Amino acid sequence: MKILIIEDEKGLSESISDYLTKEGFVCEVASNYWEAEEKVNLYYYECVVVDLMLPGGDGYDIVGMLKKIAVTTGIIIISARNALEDKIKGLELGSDDYLTKPFHLSELNARIKSLIRRRHFGGNTEITYHEIRVQTQSRKVFVQDEETPLSRKEYDLLLYFLSNVDVALTKSSIAEHLWGDNIDTVDSLDIVYSHIKNLRRKLLEKGSTDYIQSIYGIGYKFGTP
C-alpha cells in the first residue's frame, strides 16, 4: 500500500517514512505545498498523511484537492494545532482522521491500517477471495486453509490485486504501486512480470484457481476467469 507523507519537518518526515516502510508500506514524501500538489495530481495513494502548516500553502487546501481528484484516498491530518475548531474543520473538509502532535508512530501506523481496511475491505482484518485468505495484521496468506509464504513484494502485489478485482492494471501502475519514488531503481518493467509469475506459481501450487489474467497490450487483471 502506497502512502504519501506531507510534512516539512525533515526529522519527523523521515521517522514516519522509516517506521511505515518497516511496516510494509511504500512511502513517498513531500516537504512543501508545491511538491504535495504535484504528487497528488500525478499519482494515486491509498493514504495521505498531511500536516496543516506547510511552506507555500495550507494543508487544508491539499485535503480539499484530494477530495475532488482521489475520493477513495484516505486522509489523516497530523498537526500541532489541537483546537477543537481545527479538528472539526479538517473532518468537515473530508479528512478521515486527525492526530495531534506529538504522537506515537505506532498509533499513526494503527490508524493508517484501520483506515485502509475501512476504505478497501470494509474494515475487515481478514480478506477472503474464494479459496484465498489474507490476514492483514500478520501479513499471512492462506490458500485452501494452507499457509502460503510470500515475499514482501508478492504480498503487496496480491493485496493490490485484491483491492482492484476485475480492474485492468497496467505494468507501470503496478510498478508505481510496488516501488513508489524508488521506481527509478527498477531497470525494467520485466521485473513486474517476474513477481507476478512467482506469485501465480505459489498460489497455484497450493491449489488456487489462476485468477491472474494477462491483458494484451495493457497489463493484468485479477478475477474469476
Side-chain angles (χ1 to χ4, degrees), residues 177-225:
H177 177 82
L178 293 178
W179 283 277
D181 277 344
N182 295 319
I183 194 169
D184 291 340
T185 63
V186 177
D187 295 329
S188 165
L189 290 181
D190 288 343
I191 194 169
V192 171
Y193 169 75
S194 296
H195 284 298
I196 287 175
K197 182 180 70 174
N198 290 336
L199 173 61
R200 173 187 275 133
R201 174 179 54 79
K202 290 182 179 181
L203 295 177
L204 292 178
E205 285 176 351
K206 297 295 184 179
S208 170
T209 299
D210 189 3
Y211 297 113
I212 303 173
Q213 305 166 45
S214 298
I215 305 175
Y216 181 77
I218 299 177
Y220 300 91
K221 183 174 74 169
F222 188 93
T224 304

Coordinates of all heavy atoms in Angstrom, one line a residue, residues 177-225:
H177 N 3.0 1.3 -7.8 CA 2.4 0.9 -6.5 C 3.5 0.1 -5.7 O 3.6 0.4 -4.5 CB 1.2 0.0 -6.7 CG 0.6 -0.5 -5.5 ND1 -0.3 0.2 -4.7 CD2 0.8 -1.7 -4.8 CE1 -0.6 -0.5 -3.6 NE2 0.0 -1.6 -3.6
L178 N 4.3 -0.7 -6.3 CA 5.2 -1.5 -5.5 C 6.5 -0.8 -5.1 O 7.1 -1.1 -4.1 CB 5.6 -2.8 -6.4 CG 4.5 -3.8 -6.6 CD1 5.0 -4.9 -7.5 CD2 3.9 -4.3 -5.3
W179 N 6.9 0.2 -5.9 CA 8.2 0.8 -5.7 C 8.1 2.3 -5.4 O 9.0 2.9 -4.8 CB 9.1 0.6 -6.8 CG 9.7 -0.7 -6.9 CD1 10.8 -1.2 -6.1 CD2 9.3 -1.9 -7.6 NE1 11.1 -2.5 -6.4 CE2 10.2 -3.0 -7.3 CE3 8.3 -2.1 -8.5 CZ2 10.0 -4.2 -7.9 CZ3 8.1 -3.3 -9.1 CH2 9.0 -4.4 -8.7
G180 N 7.0 3.0 -5.7 CA 6.8 4.4 -5.4 C 7.9 5.2 -6.0 O 8.3 5.1 -7.1
D181 N 8.5 6.1 -5.1 CA 9.6 7.0 -5.6 C 10.8 6.3 -6.0 O 11.7 6.8 -6.6 CB 9.9 8.0 -4.4 CG 9.0 9.2 -4.4 OD1 8.3 9.4 -5.4 OD2 8.9 9.9 -3.4
N182 N 10.9 5.0 -5.5 CA 12.1 4.2 -5.8 C 12.0 3.5 -7.2 O 12.8 2.6 -7.5 CB 12.4 3.2 -4.7 CG 12.7 3.9 -3.4 OD1 13.5 4.8 -3.4 ND2 12.2 3.4 -2.3
I183 N 11.0 3.9 -8.0 CA 10.8 3.2 -9.2 C 12.0 3.4 -10.2 O 12.2 2.5 -11.1 CB 9.5 3.7 -9.9 CG1 9.1 2.7 -11.0 CG2 9.6 5.1 -10.4 CD1 7.7 3.0 -11.6
D184 N 12.8 4.4 -10.0 CA 14.0 4.7 -10.8 C 15.0 3.6 -10.6 O 15.9 3.4 -11.4 CB 14.6 6.0 -10.5 CG 13.7 7.2 -10.9 OD1 12.8 6.9 -11.8 OD2 13.9 8.3 -10.4
T185 N 14.9 2.8 -9.5 CA 15.9 1.8 -9.2 C 15.5 0.5 -10.0 O 16.3 -0.4 -10.0 CB 16.0 1.5 -7.7 OG1 14.7 0.9 -7.3 CG2 16.3 2.7 -6.9
V186 N 14.3 0.5 -10.6 CA 13.9 -0.7 -11.4 C 14.4 -0.6 -12.8 O 14.1 0.4 -13.5 CB 12.3 -0.8 -11.4 CG1 11.9 -1.9 -12.2 CG2 11.8 -0.9 -10.0
D187 N 15.2 -1.5 -13.2 CA 15.9 -1.5 -14.5 C 14.9 -1.7 -15.6 O 15.0 -1.1 -16.7 CB 16.9 -2.6 -14.6 CG 18.1 -2.4 -13.7 OD1 18.4 -1.2 -13.4 OD2 18.7 -3.4 -13.2
S188 N 13.9 -2.5 -15.4 CA 12.9 -2.8 -16.5 C 11.6 -3.2 -15.9 O 11.5 -3.8 -14.8 CB 13.4 -3.9 -17.4 OG 12.4 -4.4 -18.2
L189 N 10.5 -2.9 -16.6 CA 9.2 -3.4 -16.1 C 9.0 -4.9 -16.2 O 8.0 -5.5 -15.7 CB 8.1 -2.7 -16.9 CG 7.8 -1.2 -16.7 CD1 6.7 -0.7 -17.5 CD2 7.6 -0.9 -15.2
D190 N 10.0 -5.6 -16.8 CA 10.0 -7.0 -16.8 C 10.0 -7.6 -15.4 O 9.6 -8.7 -15.2 CB 11.2 -7.6 -17.6 CG 11.1 -7.3 -19.1 OD1 9.9 -7.1 -19.5 OD2 12.1 -7.4 -19.8
I191 N 10.5 -6.8 -14.4 CA 10.6 -7.3 -13.0 C 9.2 -7.5 -12.5 O 8.9 -8.3 -11.6 CB 11.4 -6.4 -12.1 CG1 11.7 -7.1 -10.8 CG2 10.7 -5.0 -11.9 CD1 12.8 -6.4 -10.0
V192 N 8.2 -6.7 -13.0 CA 6.8 -6.8 -12.6 C 6.3 -8.2 -13.1 O 5.7 -8.9 -12.3 CB 5.9 -5.8 -13.3 CG1 4.4 -6.1 -13.1 CG2 6.3 -4.4 -12.7
Y193 N 6.7 -8.6 -14.3 CA 6.3 -9.9 -14.8 C 6.9 -11.0 -13.9 O 6.2 -12.0 -13.6 CB 6.8 -10.1 -16.2 CG 6.7 -11.6 -16.7 CD1 5.5 -12.1 -17.1 CD2 7.8 -12.4 -16.8 CE1 5.4 -13.4 -17.5 CE2 7.7 -13.7 -17.2 CZ 6.5 -14.2 -17.6 OH 6.4 -15.5 -18.0
S194 N 8.1 -10.8 -13.4 CA 8.8 -11.8 -12.6 C 8.1 -12.0 -11.3 O 7.8 -13.2 -10.8 CB 10.2 -11.4 -12.3 OG 11.0 -11.4 -13.5
H195 N 7.6 -10.9 -10.6 CA 6.9 -11.0 -9.4 C 5.5 -11.6 -9.6 O 5.1 -12.4 -8.8 CB 6.8 -9.6 -8.8 CG 8.0 -9.1 -8.1 ND1 8.6 -9.7 -7.0 CD2 8.8 -8.0 -8.4 CE1 9.7 -9.1 -6.7 NE2 9.8 -8.0 -7.5
I196 N 4.9 -11.3 -10.7 CA 3.6 -11.9 -11.0 C 3.7 -13.4 -11.2 O 2.9 -14.2 -10.8 CB 2.9 -11.2 -12.2 CG1 2.5 -9.8 -11.8 CG2 1.7 -12.0 -12.7 CD1 1.9 -8.9 -12.9
K197 N 4.7 -13.7 -12.0 CA 5.0 -15.2 -12.3 C 5.2 -15.9 -11.0 O 4.6 -17.0 -10.8 CB 6.2 -15.3 -13.2 CG 6.5 -16.8 -13.6 CD 7.7 -16.8 -14.5 CE 9.0 -16.5 -13.7 NZ 10.2 -16.7 -14.6
N198 N 6.0 -15.4 -10.1 CA 6.3 -16.1 -8.8 C 5.0 -16.2 -7.9 O 4.8 -17.2 -7.3 CB 7.4 -15.3 -8.0 CG 8.7 -15.5 -8.7 OD1 8.9 -16.5 -9.5 ND2 9.6 -14.6 -8.5
L199 N 4.2 -15.1 -7.9 CA 3.0 -15.1 -7.1 C 2.0 -16.1 -7.7 O 1.5 -16.9 -6.9 CB 2.3 -13.7 -7.1 CG 1.0 -13.6 -6.5 CD1 1.0 -13.9 -5.0 CD2 0.4 -12.2 -6.7
R200 N 1.9 -16.1 -9.0 CA 0.9 -17.1 -9.6 C 1.4 -18.5 -9.3 O 0.6 -19.4 -8.9 CB 0.9 -16.9 -11.1 CG 0.1 -17.9 -11.8 CD 0.3 -17.7 -13.3 NE -0.7 -16.8 -13.9 CZ -0.4 -15.8 -14.7 NH1 0.9 -15.7 -15.1 NH2 -1.3 -15.0 -15.2
R201 N 2.7 -18.8 -9.4 CA 3.2 -20.1 -9.2 C 2.9 -20.6 -7.7 O 2.4 -21.7 -7.5 CB 4.7 -20.2 -9.4 CG 5.4 -21.5 -9.1 CD 6.8 -21.5 -9.4 NE 7.5 -20.4 -8.8 CZ 7.9 -20.4 -7.5 NH1 7.6 -21.4 -6.7 NH2 8.6 -19.3 -7.0
K202 N 3.1 -19.7 -6.8 CA 3.0 -20.1 -5.4 C 1.5 -20.3 -5.0 O 1.1 -21.2 -4.3 CB 3.5 -19.0 -4.5 CG 5.0 -18.9 -4.5 CD 5.6 -17.9 -3.5 CE 7.1 -17.8 -3.6 NZ 7.7 -16.8 -2.7
L203 N 0.6 -19.5 -5.6 CA -0.8 -19.7 -5.4 C -1.3 -21.0 -6.0 O -2.1 -21.8 -5.4 CB -1.6 -18.5 -6.0 CG -1.4 -17.2 -5.3 CD1 -2.2 -16.1 -6.0 CD2 -1.7 -17.2 -3.8
L204 N -0.9 -21.3 -7.3 CA -1.3 -22.5 -8.0 C -0.8 -23.7 -7.3 O -1.5 -24.8 -7.2 CB -0.8 -22.5 -9.4 CG -1.4 -21.4 -10.3 CD1 -0.8 -21.5 -11.7 CD2 -3.0 -21.6 -10.4
E205 N 0.4 -23.7 -6.7 CA 1.0 -24.8 -6.1 C 0.2 -25.3 -4.9 O 0.1 -26.4 -4.5 CB 2.4 -24.5 -5.6 CG 3.4 -24.6 -6.8 CD 4.8 -24.2 -6.3 OE1 5.0 -23.7 -5.1 OE2 5.8 -24.3 -7.1
K206 N -0.6 -24.3 -4.3 CA -1.4 -24.6 -3.1 C -2.8 -24.9 -3.5 O -3.7 -25.1 -2.6 CB -1.4 -23.4 -2.1 CG 0.0 -23.1 -1.6 CD 0.6 -24.2 -0.7 CE 1.9 -23.9 -0.1 NZ 2.4 -24.9 0.8
G207 N -3.1 -24.9 -4.8 CA -4.4 -25.3 -5.2 C -5.4 -24.2 -5.6 O -6.6 -24.4 -5.7
S208 N -4.8 -23.0 -5.8 CA -5.7 -21.9 -6.1 C -6.0 -21.9 -7.6 O -5.3 -22.4 -8.4 CB -4.9 -20.5 -5.8 OG -5.6 -19.5 -6.4
T209 N -7.2 -21.4 -7.9 CA -7.6 -21.1 -9.3 C -6.6 -20.0 -9.9 O -6.2 -19.2 -9.1 CB -9.0 -20.6 -9.4 OG1 -9.9 -21.7 -9.0 CG2 -9.4 -20.3 -10.9
D210 N -6.3 -20.0 -11.1 CA -5.5 -19.0 -11.7 C -6.3 -17.7 -12.0 O -6.9 -17.6 -13.0 CB -4.8 -19.5 -13.0 CG -3.7 -18.6 -13.5 OD1 -3.5 -17.5 -12.8 OD2 -3.2 -18.8 -14.6
Y211 N -6.3 -16.8 -11.0 CA -7.1 -15.6 -11.2 C -6.3 -14.5 -11.9 O -6.9 -13.5 -12.2 CB -7.5 -15.1 -9.8 CG -8.4 -16.0 -9.0 CD1 -7.9 -16.7 -7.9 CD2 -9.7 -16.3 -9.4 CE1 -8.7 -17.6 -7.1 CE2 -10.5 -17.2 -8.7 CZ -10.0 -17.8 -7.6 OH -10.8 -18.7 -6.9
I212 N -5.0 -14.6 -12.1 CA -4.2 -13.6 -12.7 C -4.3 -13.7 -14.2 O -3.8 -14.7 -14.8 CB -2.8 -13.6 -12.2 CG1 -2.7 -13.5 -10.7 CG2 -2.0 -12.5 -12.8 CD1 -1.3 -13.7 -10.1
Q213 N -4.9 -12.8 -14.9 CA -5.1 -12.8 -16.3 C -4.3 -11.7 -17.0 O -4.3 -10.6 -16.6 CB -6.6 -12.6 -16.6 CG -7.5 -13.5 -15.9 CD -9.0 -13.1 -16.0 OE1 -9.5 -12.7 -17.1 NE2 -9.7 -13.1 -14.9
S214 N -3.6 -12.1 -18.0 CA -2.8 -11.2 -18.9 C -3.8 -10.5 -19.9 O -4.6 -11.2 -20.5 CB -1.7 -11.9 -19.6 OG -0.8 -12.5 -18.7
I215 N -3.6 -9.2 -20.0 CA -4.4 -8.4 -21.0 C -3.4 -7.9 -22.0 O -2.6 -7.0 -21.7 CB -5.2 -7.3 -20.3 CG1 -6.1 -7.9 -19.2 CG2 -6.0 -6.6 -21.3 CD1 -6.8 -6.8 -18.4
Y216 N -3.5 -8.4 -23.2 CA -2.5 -8.0 -24.2 C -2.5 -6.5 -24.4 O -3.5 -5.8 -24.6 CB -2.9 -8.7 -25.6 CG -1.9 -8.4 -26.7 CD1 -0.6 -9.0 -26.7 CD2 -2.2 -7.5 -27.7 CE1 0.2 -8.7 -27.7 CE2 -1.4 -7.1 -28.7 CZ -0.1 -7.8 -28.7 OH 0.8 -7.5 -29.7
G217 N -1.3 -5.9 -24.4 CA -1.1 -4.5 -24.7 C -1.4 -3.6 -23.5 O -1.3 -2.4 -23.6
I218 N -1.9 -4.2 -22.4 CA -2.3 -3.3 -21.3 C -1.5 -3.8 -20.0 O -0.7 -3.0 -19.5 CB -3.8 -3.4 -21.0 CG1 -4.6 -2.9 -22.2 CG2 -4.2 -2.6 -19.7 CD1 -6.1 -3.0 -22.0
G219 N -1.8 -5.0 -19.5 CA -1.1 -5.4 -18.3 C -1.8 -6.7 -17.8 O -1.8 -7.7 -18.4
Y220 N -2.5 -6.5 -16.6 CA -3.0 -7.7 -15.9 C -4.4 -7.4 -15.3 O -4.7 -6.2 -15.0 CB -2.1 -8.2 -14.9 CG -0.8 -8.7 -15.4 CD1 0.3 -7.8 -15.5 CD2 -0.6 -10.0 -15.9 CE1 1.5 -8.2 -16.0 CE2 0.6 -10.4 -16.4 CZ 1.7 -9.5 -16.5 OH 2.9 -9.9 -17.0
K221 N -5.2 -8.4 -15.0 CA -6.4 -8.3 -14.3 C -6.5 -9.5 -13.4 O -6.2 -10.6 -13.7 CB -7.6 -8.2 -15.3 CG -8.9 -8.0 -14.5 CD -10.1 -7.8 -15.6 CE -10.5 -9.1 -16.2 NZ -11.7 -8.9 -17.0
F222 N -7.0 -9.2 -12.2 CA -7.2 -10.3 -11.2 C -8.7 -10.5 -11.0 O -9.5 -9.6 -10.7 CB -6.6 -9.9 -9.8 CG -6.6 -11.0 -8.8 CD1 -5.5 -11.8 -8.7 CD2 -7.6 -11.2 -8.0 CE1 -5.4 -12.8 -7.7 CE2 -7.6 -12.2 -7.0 CZ -6.5 -13.0 -6.9
G223 N -9.1 -11.7 -11.3 CA -10.6 -12.0 -11.1 C -10.9 -13.4 -11.6 O -10.0 -14.1 -12.1
T224 N -12.1 -13.8 -11.5 CA -12.6 -15.2 -11.9 C -12.5 -15.3 -13.4 O -13.0 -14.4 -14.1 CB -14.0 -15.4 -11.4 OG1 -14.1 -15.3 -10.0 CG2 -14.4 -16.8 -11.8
P225 N -11.8 -16.3 -13.9 CA -11.6 -16.5 -15.4 C -12.9 -16.7 -16.1 O -13.9 -17.2 -15.5 CB -10.7 -17.8 -15.5 CG -10.1 -17.9 -14.1 CD -11.1 -17.4 -13.1

